[in-house]
Amino acid sequence: MSTIQSLEPHTEVWPELQLHQQLVLQDLRGNRIVGTLDGMTNDRSTLWIQLTGGLGRQLVHHQDGYWLENAAS
């Protein structure tokens, strides 16, 4: 699994990701979104994450201030 880790929020569209890939997103406040990729728009600007623990799905736009973190951390 390939993820990107950066010190700044994601401002470009999301990289190509595999459906059902494990993801961890983080923002500057330390908020984390953990789950699997459930869908992505064709322009890669928006993705849906099926949250770990049965917490539903969350929509994340590339300008929401999150970046991809290494899922193993």
Side-chain angles (χ1 to χ4, degrees):
M1 170 176 69
S2 168
T3 60
I4 295 176
Q5 186 167 359
S6 170
L7 298 177
E8 296 186 15
H10 202 80
T11 56
E12 300 298 321
V13 295
W14 299 107
E16 286 197 38
L17 300 167
Q18 297 296 315
L19 194 60
H20 307 296
Q21 175 178 336
Q22 293 289 321
L23 299 176
V24 178
L25 302 179
Q26 185 171 341
D27 69 8
L28 290 173
R29 297 171 302 218
N31 296 319
R32 296 174 83 218
I33 301 173
V34 180
T36 57
L37 181 64
D38 196 38
M40 180 182 284
T41 57
N42 288 337
D43 66 1
R44 296 192 343 247
S45 67
T46 307
L47 53 84
W48 288 265
I49 298 179
Q50 185 67 44
L51 302 172
T52 299
L55 298 174
R57 238 167 64 135
Q58 184 165 342
L59 179 71
V60 183
H61 188 268
H62 72 100
Q63 293 180 331
D64 285 347
Y66 286 90
W67 65 87
L68 286 168
E69 176 185 300
N70 186 336
S73 32

